[in-house]
Amino acid sequence: MQIYTNDDIRPGVIAGHRIAVIGYGSQGRAHAQNLKESGHDVIAGVRHGGKGWKNAQADGIATAEPAEAVKGADIIAILTPDMAQAQIYTDIIEPNAKKGAALLFAHGFSILYGRVTPRKDMDVILVAPKGPGDLVRREYARGRGVPALFAVEQDATGKARDRAMGYAKGIGGATGGLLETSFKEETETDLFGEQAVLCGGAKELVMGGFTTLVEAGYQPEIAYFECMHELKLIVDLFYEGGITKMNEFISETAKWGSVVSGPRVINSETRARMKEVLNEIQDGTFAREWIAENEAGKGAYDALVKADGEHLIESVGAGLRERMAWLHAPKTAEAA
């Protein structure tokens, strides 16, 4: 796969473009600040007097109500939660966007699952940094960048790909490295990673290990350290140098246990469940159930999240973390 850098992007491809950033949360705030500092004309579409409005003004970003921000914008970056995007598009963007504007997403959910059907005259593009907004901002401020994915779903103007790559460069993505994908690939792999590995899988593995030790009679505090606290140490090694680096830094006993016991926990049955999860993402089952849950008021969602928060590992961990001074120390200028 080719990785694109700043040198691969034609200079000035979005020069003179007005960019409306709709939503000023983690990603919206980072994108707007980085784009402005890259020399672009940026306006935040936020509710007057709200938190986003106040943050944008504090950051020196021009502000307007969303409908006003959309008018005249060449690129409209919709960086709000997935479930809010359909109404925002229908009520605010579609009636106000000028002909030939580009509609930009940071995640393809709304397009892939038919929540948003853009006008035929609009470019539909995606730029998805592979990191949270605060990291996107910090790395840009240091002269570096977080790698990003980009994609084109609809090229009405013949300029969609240039627009996506130019926007990605403006937020620092081309400094980190750009990978070309599709809305389908980005959405399905992102959802799968969240559910099977990063959030769902890791959480259940940690809680399952903790519960196994506690039910066997071990002290909850010891179980917490072994199953949750030390996970960060291993994940940092993965992050910095993959499995190879982990193996360089753990003991031979740990390595032997890893290769003989790991496959007994994550095995063919586990992978079959992962395949089920992926199938439900691919055929739209997950999206339909999540949309229905939102429309029903999120009762099941709230109950399940509440149950996670009330698990023994949470109360034990909260008490232990109170004694970890490094977690409560003020951030240094470098870490900020």
Side-chain angles (χ1 to χ4, degrees), residues 61 207 232 289:
I61 303 295
M207 292 168 71
K232 182 185 186 304
E289 290 179 350

Side-chain angles (χ1 to χ4, degrees), residues 325-333 335-336:
W326 63 90
L327 296 178
H328 311 290
K331 288 183 177 181
T332 64

Side-chain angles (χ1 to χ4, degrees), residues 2 4 54 66 77 98 101 119-120 152 177 207 227 249 262 272 311:
Q2 182 173 354
Y4 298 93
K54 293 175 182 176
K98 71 179 186 180
R119 294 184 338 222
K120 295 299 183 184
V152 175
M207 292 168 71
C227 295
F249 281 82
H311 193 280

Side-chain angles (χ1 to χ4, degrees), residues 164-249:
M165 295 181 78
Y167 182 102
K169 178 180 179 179
I171 63 171
T175 304
L178 293 179
L179 286 75
E180 191 163 11
T181 184
S182 65
F183 272 64
K184 177 179 172 62
E185 183 177 55
E186 185 278 333
T187 304
E188 292 178 351
T189 56
D190 186 76
L191 292 175
F192 177 80
E194 290 171 348
Q195 294 173 34
V197 181
L198 305 176
C199 305
K203 172 178 69 72
E204 292 300 323
L205 186 64
V206 166
M207 292 168 71
F210 174 87
T211 300
T212 299
L213 288 176
V214 172
E215 289 180 349
Y218 298 100
Q219 296 178 77
E221 292 79 7
I222 305 301
Y224 173 86
F225 277 120
E226 294 304 327
C227 295
M228 180 178 276
H229 175 81
E230 293 191 20
L231 180 62
K232 182 185 186 304
L233 309 178
I234 300 302
V235 170
D236 283 350
L237 295 174
F238 283 156
Y239 187 74
E240 294 165 5
I243 296 168
T244 297
K245 184 163 185 177
M246 180 196 74
N247 283 335
E248 290 174 356
F249 281 82

Side-chain angles (χ1 to χ4, degrees), residues 14-20 40-43 62 64 68-76 98:
I14 59 170
H17 281 40
R18 164 155 277 211
I19 303 171
H40 298 295
D41 178 13
V42 182
I43 186 166
E68 289 302 313
V70 166
K71 293 176 182 177
D74 300 283
I75 298 175
I76 303 161
K98 71 179 186 180

Side-chain angles (χ1 to χ4, degrees), residues 22-23 26 28 32 115 176 181 199 216 231 249 280 293 320:
I22 309 302
S26 174
R115 297 278 289 166
T181 184
C199 305
L231 180 62
F249 281 82
E280 290 175 3
E293 176 65 19
L320 291 172

Side-chain angles (χ1 to χ4, degrees), residues 117-169:
T117 304
R119 294 184 338 222
K120 295 299 183 184
D121 65 274
M122 301 181 77
D123 289 340
V124 182
I125 56 181
L126 176 143
V127 175
K130 300 313 294 176
D134 63 333
L135 183 65
V136 172
R137 178 60 185 153
R138 288 200 313 271
E139 288 302 292
Y140 178 93
R142 292 168 178 165
R144 303 185 302 217
V146 173
L149 308 181
F150 76 98
V152 175
E153 179 71 12
Q154 181 170 292
D155 186 6
T157 68
K159 302 175 183 177
R161 192 168 183 271
D162 278 346
R163 283 171 152 179
M165 295 181 78
Y167 182 102
K169 178 180 179 179

